[in-house]
Amino acid sequence: MAELANWVGMEARVAAPASFDGGAISVAASPVTTANRAFLVVRDQSGVTVDRREIPVTEATLEWDGRDSDNTELPKGLYAFEIESQHNGDFLDTKPAEVYAPVTEARNQEGGTYLVLRGGTVVDAGAVRAIREPNAA
C-alpha cells in the first residue's frame, strides 16, 4: 500500500473510462497487427457512440481533444475508448483502449488494492500497465 500511495498524483495507464474536463485525454492505441485501417471509438457514460475517427494503424499514444466529428466540444464527463481494427473493409476486432488518467486515491477494499482515478473510476491496481508523471505525453 505504501508503494501505491506514491502513485497518487501520477497518471496510470489502464483500460478504463476517463474523465473529460476540457483537457485532452491521452489514449494508447494498439490496433490488431494485421489491420490496414483502425478507428478510435468514443462512448459516453450511457454507452452511446459520440465520436469515431480513423487513426494510424500503429501502436501510438493519441490525444483525444473532447470533440466529435463535427468539431463540437462534448460535455464534461466520463468517456470510454475502444480501438476498432479492420482489414480491407472486414471487421477484425474491437478492444478497449488504455488511457492515461490521474490517480486521486489508493485504497484497500474487499481484499484487494484499488486506485481511484479522476472522475471516480475505480480500477484494480493490478490492471495498471504503466505509471507516468503528469503531462509526460
Side-chain angles (χ1 to χ4, degrees):
M1 185 64 165
E3 286 183 32
L4 289 181
N6 293 327
W7 290 10
V8 174
M10 303 290 279
E11 290 182 337
R13 179 176 164 174
V14 64
S19 177
F20 174 65
D21 62 2
I25 295 174
S26 296
V27 181
S30 183
V32 173
T33 57
T34 57
N36 61 6
R37 292 185 80 191
F39 298 87
L40 175 66
V41 180
V42 183
R43 299 183 193 283
D44 66 13
Q45 288 179 258
S46 302
V48 174
T49 299
V50 295
D51 189 20
R52 183 177 188 274
R53 61 181 73 172
E54 192 160 1
I55 59 172
V57 188
T58 58
E59 286 196 30
T61 300
L62 313 167
E63 297 298 316
W64 182 70
D65 61 4
R67 295 183 176 278
D68 64 16
S69 57
D70 295 327
N71 204 32
T72 302
E73 185 170 308
L74 295 166
K76 294 178 181 175
L78 289 176
Y79 291 88
F81 301 86
E82 296 175 336
I83 304 300
E84 178 185 305
S85 298
Q86 296 180 5
H87 183 76
N88 295 336
D90 293 328
F91 172 81
L92 294 175
D93 188 34
T94 297
K95 61 183 174 182
E98 296 173 343
V99 297
Y100 283 96
V103 177
T104 60
E105 180 182 349
R107 64 169 76 144
N108 281 323
Q109 71 183 45
E110 301 172 9
T113 305
Y114 297 88
L115 300 175
V116 180
L117 308 177
R118 183 178 63 211
T121 300
V122 179
V123 297
D124 186 313
V128 173
R129 304 240 322 167
I131 290 288
R132 72 179 187 186
E133 293 279 342
N135 301 318

